[in-house]
Amino acid sequence: MSTYLVACDLKQTRINAAYDDIGQTIESLGHSWHCLDTAWIVQCNLPATQICSRLRPLLYDRDELFVAQLGGEFDWIGIDPAAAKWLQKHLV
């Protein structure tokens, strides 16, 4: 199982509903955490290309999506203790 960062930048007027739909789709892929306003970390058995394919129908022409497999070193600033605990458990 791999861990991915999924981030998106939605340009359209239906932003709140679209972020909700994207979040629900990401959560359906596996264990996930909505780490920042427009970013999630998800653990799943899919490659990055298939994660993008699952999210593509929710995006409009000018929207942007970035999916990257996480590994190696990481650090953070300003993350609450519960989130830090989640990161330490799932990224170490």
Side-chain angles (χ1 to χ4, degrees):
M1 186 171 305
S2 297
T3 303
Y4 295 92
L5 172 67
V6 180
C8 58
D9 188 8
L10 305 182
K11 311 289 186 176
Q12 307 301 320
T13 58
R14 82 306 168 233
I15 290 175
N16 288 338
Y19 279 122
D20 290 344
D21 292 343
I22 288 169
Q24 290 173 3
T25 302
I26 291 169
E27 289 171 5
S28 75
L29 299 176
H31 188 72
S32 66
W33 173 50
H34 189 181
C35 56
L36 300 170
D37 287 343
T38 63
W40 293 259
I41 297 174
V42 62
Q43 290 181 316
C44 66
N45 291 318
L46 299 174
T49 54
Q50 286 185 17
I51 295 170
C52 282
S53 293
R54 296 255 180 117
L55 295 171
R56 178 68 185 116
L58 304 173
L59 303 175
Y60 285 80
D61 291 338
R62 293 179 44 233
D63 294 344
E64 298 172 323
L65 177 67
F66 177 75
V67 178
Q69 186 174 1
L70 298 176
E73 189 174 349
F74 60 90
D75 200 5
W76 57 80
I77 295 173
I79 301 294
D80 68 72
K85 185 176 180 179
W86 191 99
L87 287 168
Q88 290 169 334
K89 180 179 179 183
H90 295 283
L91 295 182
V92 174

